[in-house]
Amino acid sequence: MAAQRGEGDAVVATPRNPADAEVRERARAIPEAAVARLAVYLRVLSGMVDQGVTTISSEELSSAAGVNSAKLRKDLSYIGSYGTRGVGYDVEVLVSHIERILGLTRKHSVAVVGIGNLGHALANYGGFPSRGFPVAALFDIDPDLTGVPVGGIPVNHIDDIATVCAEREVSIGVIATPPQAAQAVCDRLVSAGVQCILNFAPVVLQVPDNVEVRKVDLAVEMQILSFHVARRADEAAGEVVNGVGVDGVVIRP
Amino acid sequence: MAAQRGEGDAVVATPRNPADAEVRERARAIPEAAVARLAVYLRVLSGMVDQGVTTISSEELSSAAGVNSAKLRKDLSYIGSYGTRGVGYDVEVLVSHIERILGLTRKHSVAVVGIGNLGHALANYGGFPSRGFPVAALFDIDPDLTGVPVGGIPVNHIDDIATVCAEREVSIGVIATPPQAAQAVCDRLVSAGVQCILNFAPVVLQVPDNVEVRKVDLAVEMQILSFHVARRADEAAGEVVNGVGVDGVVIRP
DNA sequence: CTATGTGAACTGATTCACAGCA
DNA sequence: TGCTGTGAATCAGTTCACATAG
């Protein structure tokens, strides 16, 4: 993903518009992990704007975002040099540059498929529209739900995914169905031209290369936490048996 | 491998119970990224058991889990060598070893704090109890909700977090409150002795070192998708201007 | 004299490729 | 022969440390 490994691939030469090309080039080069953090920085910075803060140092911003300052500066360097040495960053400037890089200057309409407990919660979640992700369509397989408004939007039947998504220019599909239905729903979204999918169903979706899938898997999150509980318990047991430092065993935190 | 860099740290010498010590040592050495995938393998394998599959090759399992076979084998090697060369893995054996490593042999009681849209959905989510994570307590700040059963469990007031969590041996706290309340709730959970937190609120929680936090941030997920939409659009623009391959520009998928 | 921006070094994760065992 | 298990090689991500701009 990152870019420019090896020789003989990805050479940029004399593009028509140098400025556009630069943004393009930068965007291509940002590590995936950094993109996720940029979104976090953006939220923290938005809070700063609300508080009337106009300037912020890498130290302050990084601690508010829960990372170290070197990482923050490196992340910001991927999108350009917008700080002032000896001073820090202008909050508004940073906000607008991060928004541009994250593509938040356009609206991204969202469709939620599967109006069960989670689908209801998502349809009513205020955080989406307020951040430029209006929920434009809802779908469910249950015909009794068709036409029923949820969070102000009437539910459509999943058979209408293709037409409704095209009509309302949906660019992000959210799958909140039971696992058995997820792949079929995904296929419909993809053939409706949706290229980004956020999947809450506990299944691994198969999609073509041009579709981006992100998954939120609660069971996996819980199991990762469980692993850490277990590891901690094991370490504690180790301590009791061997004692810290005894036999040369060092327990790292 | 994770452990044992440098000299002078993490040396294991003659522990009392060699088998326990081995599990402990392995668990310590598993990369975080591999832990997340083990949880996915486990789910796929559980499905295989239901279908009556008894043996599976790394190729089959990896494609069902959406990773390549080398990564799968490496991941499994972190937990031990339980395959048969020339044949594959015994599904049940693998399930039980992954469960052991992930600490799923114990029950982990869950408390959900914040019984709004999302909290309701989580309290009713069948995926938790069925996977060994019983929801044992619900909390909200609204006194009108106190005593009201949600998903079969009466809601308690957040003032009772400490006593109720201790009583019901809650080991995982789920924060589904508005962002303003999240840090305070987190602090209460931590002082109640909860060491694992799953945070749905869009804030960076500050916790002591001994507490493990995982976050699910819908806005961040949407923004990552948005970034990819934008990048794709930019690349398409680049293609239109320069044409694929013209000027030596190579667009990678 | 301060805090950014960034090569260089390092740590961690993924992939390769093949030795070794059923 | 076929498939696992794993060192070695590669690649990605993080941290260090300092030159540099204000």
Side-chain angles (χ1 to χ4, degrees), chain A residues 1-5 8-17 23-24 27-28 30 32 35-40 42-44 63-66 100-104 106 108 110 117-118 120-122 124-125 127-128 131 133 171-174 195-198 200-204 206 209-235 237-238 241-242 246-253, chain B residues 2-5 8-17 23-24 27-28 30 32 35-40 42-44 63-66 100-104 106 108 110 117-118 120-122 124-125 127-128 131 133 171-174 195-198 200-204 206 209-238 241-242 246-253:
Chain A
M1 179 152 307
Q4 267 95 333
R5 40 181 180 196
D9 62 356
V11 180
V12 173
T14 60
R16 298 303 181 276
N17 182 334
V23 172
R24 193 149 56 242
R28 182 116 29 106
I30 303 176
E32 187 76 21
V35 173
R37 288 191 298 266
L38 284 170
V40 174
L42 179 59
R43 188 171 55 225
V44 173
S63 80
R100 186 174 45 80
I101 288 286
L102 294 181
L104 303 178
R106 345 176 176 189
H108 300 273
V110 173
N117 283 313
L118 181 58
H120 260 92
L122 294 170
N124 287 298
Y125 177 53
F128 285 169
R131 294 185 175 274
F133 298 97
S171 57
I172 299 178
V174 176
Q195 296 207 328
C196 291
I197 289 177
L198 182 56
F200 287 86
V203 286
V204 178
Q206 310 293 331
D209 286 350
N210 64 327
V211 176
E212 188 78 25
V213 176
R214 295 200 53 92
K215 70 178 201 305
V216 173
D217 192 323
L218 301 187
V220 168
E221 295 298 328
M222 300 298 264
Q223 289 173 7
I224 295 170
L225 288 173
S226 167
F227 170 79
H228 289 290
V229 177
R231 192 175 53 88
R232 250 196 280 276
D234 285 344
E235 278 175 7
V241 175
N242 299 319
V246 172
D247 296 337
V249 174
V250 177
I251 306 292
R252 262 193 302 277
Chain B
Q4 267 97 330
R5 47 190 171 189
D9 63 355
V11 179
V12 174
T14 60
R16 299 305 180 273
N17 183 333
V23 171
R24 192 150 57 241
R28 180 116 31 105
I30 303 176
E32 187 75 23
V35 173
R37 288 191 297 267
L38 284 170
V40 174
L42 179 59
R43 188 170 55 225
V44 173
S63 79
R100 185 175 43 82
I101 288 286
L102 293 181
L104 303 178
R106 343 176 178 189
H108 300 272
V110 173
N117 284 312
L118 181 58
H120 260 91
L122 294 171
N124 286 298
Y125 178 53
F128 285 168
R131 293 182 177 276
F133 298 96
S171 56
I172 298 178
V174 177
Q195 296 208 326
C196 292
I197 289 177
L198 181 56
F200 286 88
V203 286
V204 178
Q206 310 293 332
D209 287 350
N210 64 326
V211 175
E212 188 79 25
V213 176
R214 295 199 54 91
K215 68 178 202 306
V216 174
D217 190 324
L218 301 187
V220 168
E221 295 298 329
M222 299 300 263
Q223 289 173 6
I224 294 170
L225 288 172
S226 167
F227 169 80
H228 288 290
V229 178
R231 192 175 53 88
R232 250 195 281 276
D234 285 344
E235 277 176 6
V241 175
N242 299 317
V246 172
D247 296 333
V249 174
V250 177
I251 307 292
R252 261 193 305 276

Side-chain angles (χ1 to χ4, degrees), chain B residues 169-189:
Chain B
E169 295 179 304
V170 167
S171 56
I172 298 178
V174 177
I175 298 179
T177 65
Q180 308 81 32
Q183 183 64 56
V185 161
C186 175
D187 294 344
R188 284 183 189 230
L189 286 168

Side-chain angles (χ1 to χ4, degrees), chain B residues 50-138:
Chain B
D50 295 345
Q51 290 172 42
V53 177
T54 58
T55 294
I56 193 168
S57 70
S58 63
E59 203 59 59
E60 293 168 299
L61 179 51
S62 67
S63 79
V67 302
N68 65 45
S69 64
K71 194 186 284 181
L72 174 104
R73 288 201 303 279
K74 182 63 103 179
D75 288 344
L76 293 183
S77 81
Y78 294 130
I79 68 172
S81 307
Y82 303 115
T84 307
R85 290 167 199 237
V87 179
Y89 301 89
D90 181 285
V91 175
E92 301 224 9
V93 169
L94 220 43
V95 164
S96 77
H97 282 291
I98 295 177
E99 283 181 341
R100 185 175 43 82
I101 288 286
L102 293 181
L104 303 178
T105 47
R106 343 176 178 189
K107 284 252 178 295
H108 300 272
S109 294
V110 173
V112 178
V113 189
I115 312 301
N117 284 312
L118 181 58
H120 260 91
L122 294 171
N124 286 298
Y125 178 53
F128 285 168
S130 73
R131 293 182 177 276
F133 298 96
V135 177
L138 305 176

